[in-house]
């Protein structure tokens, strides 16, 4: 915390790198590297392994354990290089040379924050209050739930009446505090207590705390913003029909495909055969920029929010519901304003012609992904009207089905081309919860599955986004808003490659395409074990990945930095979801100007970069909030329905713990050896492969001591149960004699 110098998670900071002797030793297992090290290393007093006590700590010659820096969240004890060498070098005169020549591959650079360039963290935190241990009557101690935040003192006068006399009444009450100051010499920050949220562990107080802490605006839209909305009832002005007559698709068989519960329908598709194996395919996106005039109070508020935020139980919309659920939503049998990208494309996915335009559409049916998937899986089945949503007069079920099948065929060819050209896809398990209508508590879950119908829409949205990116960059090279995805962090990738090689799973991570092909080759089987290993490798490969970012092209000199790593394309942007993403609104305005519908947007490259950066910040905050919301509901589900017993697979091994991926749930949980009924445990590295030998104690149920080797990809049977503390749950594993083998699991899955 001291070296962070009062900076908080997400802040942009300036850092000074410490001298090499203060860097952290990441791996003391360099025995096999000795031949490559200068002879001066033979002055080391101990073997490169050192010696360890029975807890796995490195021990000095005198038997005492050296002081170590604890890295919270990782149970490995880290030593600085200076401390490490002082324990082993016989001659102090050789110390500087030892530092200079020590292999950097075993070190992690350390540093100190010297300046906070930009405060990104909201400085708000959720937590609990209690009296000061020193008896101070003027201030109380606030302990944040987030361990990355400092404890702070807040004025007693901010606390509820009665707290001073009965502090125990508030032990389980959540509060919001804001950090107002933090002295360089104090371990405690100072702050103010904003208000009480309610009982810890309850959905709404916890949700509100998550939103506030991450700076999400969930307030109602003010009157000045609502005044920017059209008067209702509203209809498309006649002048727009004239302006868009060349892009009038109201008579086409055009439809939406979305989740069954979706209310903000911002994309639709159409498909017509032109003969000779060529088709006209259109992607039509809600024309939000028509309603959202630049620099109005509503536009400013939407720009500040930058994204809709999706929680398990509700959505915090970027725009008022009149727009996102009615006037902009491409609801069936309604004339709607849209922005279209239309191609002439053959069945192989080759684009022969492309055009853009502001359009008018009328969707003939609102399909769900399940409806479209039914067409794809059962193309010869005769569907009835009762099985599908209402279809507009003039179109039949066969009209819809035949077009879905054509789109699916072309989408599969487009997808194959993308992956042949080096695209990467790392899909992780995502849970969806069913909620009790009365209590709002989770009473079940399902795993989100991306099927062909999802991929169909995804392919054409990607195609539209790439087409628009090229169009706006060609027209406005200095102010185009694009989305880039930097290459993954090299050291983390190198470590991943080495780990996989040590596990006998060689991967080529030279680029996105080789990584994708490696994963497919390693886990191509359809059995449970192969699928489980693919899940583990997907999670491990996701860790080095950087976040994709919006940017203004005029603020990057090197066009190579525009590249999108995962898609492996030179130019990409977001155009297809303007109802829920402000970046897409910016892109719509640029496209409209590129097509001559209006003047270019006002602003410099710096202005566009500033707005793009805000979109990045809000998108990241939205992602964190979404994950925390899902974590909260999972913890509640474990409490309400647990204990749960699930199959897992080990994905990381440390000295005194190991990480397990709960396969069906996509949840990673750390399991500590001291929470298991063990006689002992021993951490080793076998050809650089980390292993943990667990010696299970003799019990009434298990009459002999059993040694179980835990390493990456070890299958385990996990028990998940709620703890006494609100929203906390823990995991343990079953005794190895009670563990299933994969043959048993495969049979269970098949049944």
């Amino acid at each position: 915390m001291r070296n962070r110098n009062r900076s908080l998670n997400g802040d942009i900071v300036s850092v000074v790198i410490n001298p090499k002797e203060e860097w952290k030793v990441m791996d003391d297992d360099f025995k096999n590297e000795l031949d490559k090290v200068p002879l001066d290393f033979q002055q080391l007093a101990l073997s490169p392994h050192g010696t360890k006590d029975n807890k796995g700590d490195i021990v000095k010659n005198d038997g005492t354990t050296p002081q170590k820096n604890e890295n919270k969240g990782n149970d490995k004890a880290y030593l600085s290089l200076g401390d490490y060498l002082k324990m082993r070098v016989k001659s102090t005169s050789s110390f500087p040379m030892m530092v200079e020549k020590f292999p950097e591959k075993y070190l992690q650079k350390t540093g100190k924050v010297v300046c906070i360039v930009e405060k990104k963290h909201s400085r708000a935190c959720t937590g609990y209050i209690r009296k000061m241990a020193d008896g101070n009557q003027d201030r109380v101690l606030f302990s944040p739930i987030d361990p990355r935040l400092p404890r702070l003192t807040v004025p007693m006068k901010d606390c509820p009446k009665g707290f001073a006399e009965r502090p125990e009444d508030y032990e389980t009450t959540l509060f919001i505090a804001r950090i107002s100051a933090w002295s360089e010499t104090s371990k405690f920050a100072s702050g103010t207590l904003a208000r009480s949220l309610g009982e810890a562990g309850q959905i709404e107080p916890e949700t509100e705390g998550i939103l506030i802490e991450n700076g999400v605006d969930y307030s109602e839209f003010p009157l000045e913003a609502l005044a920017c909305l059209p008067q209702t009832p509203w209809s498309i002005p006649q002048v727009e029909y004239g302006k868009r007559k060349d892009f009038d698709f109201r008579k086409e068989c055009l439809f939406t495909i979305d989740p069954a519960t979706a209310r903000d329908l911002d994309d639709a598709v159409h498909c017509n055969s032109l003969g000779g194996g060529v088709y006209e395919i259109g992607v039509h996106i809600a024309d939000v920029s028509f309603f959202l005039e630049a620099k109005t109070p509503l536009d400013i508020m939407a720009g500040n929010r930058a994204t809709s935020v999706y929680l398990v139980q509700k959505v915090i919309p970027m725009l008022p519901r009149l727009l996102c659920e009615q006037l902009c939503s491409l609801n069936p049998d309604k004339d709607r304003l849209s922005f279209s990208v239309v191609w002439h494309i053959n069945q192989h996915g080759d684009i022969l012609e492309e055009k853009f335009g502001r359009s008018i559409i009328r969707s003939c049916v609102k399909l769900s992904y399940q409806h479209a998937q039914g067409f794809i899986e059962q193309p010869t089945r005769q569907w009835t009207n009762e099985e599908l949503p209402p279809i507009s007069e003039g179109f039949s079920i066969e009209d819809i089905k035949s077009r879905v099948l054509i789109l699916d065929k072309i989408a599969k060819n487009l997808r194959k081309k993308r992956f042949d050209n080096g695209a990467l896809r790392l899909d992780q398990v995502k849970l969806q919860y069913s909620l009790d209508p009365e209590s709002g508590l989770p009473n079940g879950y399902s795993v989100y599955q991306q099927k062909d119908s999802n991929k169909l829409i995804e392919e054409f949205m990607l195609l539209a986004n790439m087409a628009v990116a090229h169009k706006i960059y060609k027209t406005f090279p200095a102010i185009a808003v694009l989305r880039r995805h930097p290459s993954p962090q090299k050291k983390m990738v190198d470590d991943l490659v080495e780990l996989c090689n040590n596990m006998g799973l060689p991967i080529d991570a030279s680029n996105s395409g080789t990584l994708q092909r490696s994963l497919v080759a390693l886990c191509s089987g359809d059995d449970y074990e192969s699928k489980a290993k693919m899940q583990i490798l997907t999670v491990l490969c996701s860790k080095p990945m950087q976040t994709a970012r919006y940017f203004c092209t005029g603020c990057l000199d090197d066009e190579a930095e525009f590249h999108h790593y995962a898609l492996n394309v030179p130019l990409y942007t977001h155009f297809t979801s303007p109802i829920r993403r402000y970046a897409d609104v910016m892109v719509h305005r640029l496209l409209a100007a590129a097509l001559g519908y209006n003047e270019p947007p006002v602003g410099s490259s710096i202005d566009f970069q500033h707005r793009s950066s805000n979109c990045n910040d809000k998108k990241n905050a939205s992602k964190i909030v979404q994950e925390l919301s899902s974590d909260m509901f999972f913890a509640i589900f474990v409490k309400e329905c647990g204990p749960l017993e699930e199959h897992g697979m080990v994905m990381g091994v440390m000295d005194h713990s190991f990480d397990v991926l709960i396969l069906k749930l996509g949840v990673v949980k750390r399991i500590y050896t001291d929470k298991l009924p063990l006689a002992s445990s021993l951490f080793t590295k076998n050809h650089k492969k980390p292993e943990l030998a667990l010696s299970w104690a003799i019990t009434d149920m298990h009459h002999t001591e059993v040694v179980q080797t835990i390493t990456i990809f070890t299958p385990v049977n996990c028990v998940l149960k709620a703890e006494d503390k609100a929203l906390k749950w823990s995991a343990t594993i079953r005794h190895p004699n009670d563990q299933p083998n994969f043959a048993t699991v495969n049979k269970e899955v098949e049944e």
Side-chain angles (χ1 to χ4, degrees), residues 9-24:
N9 195 51
D11 289 350
I12 298 175
V13 299
S14 292
V15 176
V16 60
I17 302 298
N18 289 332
K20 188 175 179 180
E21 60 263 28
E22 295 180 28
W23 296 0
K24 291 179 179 177

Side-chain angles (χ1 to χ4, degrees), residues 468-507:
V468 171
H470 284 271
K471 181 67 176 178
I472 63 174
Y473 179 56
K474 182 179 180 180
T475 310
F476 300 115
I479 59 170
V481 174
L482 303 183
R483 187 163 175 82
R484 66 190 183 98
H485 185 204
S487 298
Q489 300 175 61
K490 186 178 184 307
K491 186 179 186 309
M492 294 182 71
V493 170
D494 291 343
D495 291 344
L496 172 66
V497 170
E498 183 178 21
L499 173 67
C500 290
N501 285 337
N502 294 337
M503 298 298 300
L505 298 169
I507 63 171

Side-chain angles (χ1 to χ4, degrees), residues 291-507:
F291 298 93
L292 196 61
E293 187 177 344
K295 297 188 177 180
T296 60
L298 180 57
D299 179 57
I300 292 169
M301 188 169 188
N304 288 335
R305 289 192 173 194
T307 182
S308 295
V309 180
Y310 292 83
L311 306 167
V312 170
Q313 79 278 30
K314 61 183 177 182
V315 178
I316 311 298
M318 183 183 80
L319 296 170
R321 298 193 185 278
L322 176 64
L323 290 183
C324 61
E325 294 180 9
Q326 297 181 47
L327 303 186
C328 291
S329 184
L330 307 182
N331 297 328
D333 227 20
K334 301 284 186 183
D335 286 4
R336 287 291 183 257
L337 299 177
S338 57
F339 227 136
S340 301
V341 184
V342 181
W343 303 276
H344 289 177
I345 186 169
N346 64 25
Q347 59 187 348
H348 305 296
D350 302 318
I351 297 173
L352 310 177
E353 186 179 317
E354 179 178 80
K355 59 182 178 179
F356 308 85
R358 272 186 153 158
S359 53
I360 294 181
I361 65 169
R362 176 185 282 257
S363 170
C364 66
V365 64
K366 176 190 174 183
L367 293 178
S368 70
Y369 285 120
Q370 289 86 347
H371 296 133
Q373 189 64 30
F375 293 152
I376 294 168
E377 291 179 354
Q378 303 178 69
T380 60
R381 177 180 168 183
Q382 297 299 309
W383 298 81
T384 65
N385 290 327
E386 291 73 23
E387 295 175 290
L388 298 169
I391 298 174
S392 298
E393 189 175 345
F395 298 103
S396 66
I397 295 175
E398 186 58 33
D399 291 331
I400 308 297
K401 184 180 76 171
S402 63
R403 284 164 171 79
V404 168
L405 294 176
I406 293 169
L407 289 169
D408 176 59
K409 181 178 180 180
I410 296 173
K412 285 173 177 170
N413 287 327
L414 287 170
R415 188 176 180 86
K416 182 179 184 304
K417 280 188 174 186
R418 280 202 307 112
F419 285 101
D420 287 346
N421 290 332
L424 170 68
R425 180 90 189 197
L426 297 174
D427 284 323
Q428 299 188 42
V429 174
K430 181 181 177 183
L431 294 182
Q432 298 172 311
Y433 297 92
S434 58
L435 306 180
D436 185 281
E438 294 183 5
S439 67
L441 296 174
N443 55 18
Y445 70 88
S446 60
V447 176
Y448 175 78
Q449 292 183 314
Q450 193 187 51
K451 297 187 176 181
D452 286 340
S453 56
N454 305 83
K455 295 173 184 177
L456 180 162
I457 291 298
E458 178 186 47
E459 287 307 316
F460 288 108
M461 297 305 113
L462 289 172
L463 198 63
N465 286 336
M466 289 185 279
V468 171
H470 284 271
K471 181 67 176 178
I472 63 174
Y473 179 56
K474 182 179 180 180
T475 310
F476 300 115
I479 59 170
V481 174
L482 303 183
R483 187 163 175 82
R484 66 190 183 98
H485 185 204
S487 298
Q489 300 175 61
K490 186 178 184 307
K491 186 179 186 309
M492 294 182 71
V493 170
D494 291 343
D495 291 344
L496 172 66
V497 170
E498 183 178 21
L499 173 67
C500 290
N501 285 337
N502 294 337
M503 298 298 300
L505 298 169
I507 63 171

Side-chain angles (χ1 to χ4, degrees), residues 197 202-209 313-314 632:
L197 292 175
Q202 298 298 307
I203 290 174
E204 288 311 312
E206 294 280 358
T207 297
E208 192 174 3
Q313 79 278 30
K314 61 183 177 182
M632 175 181 68

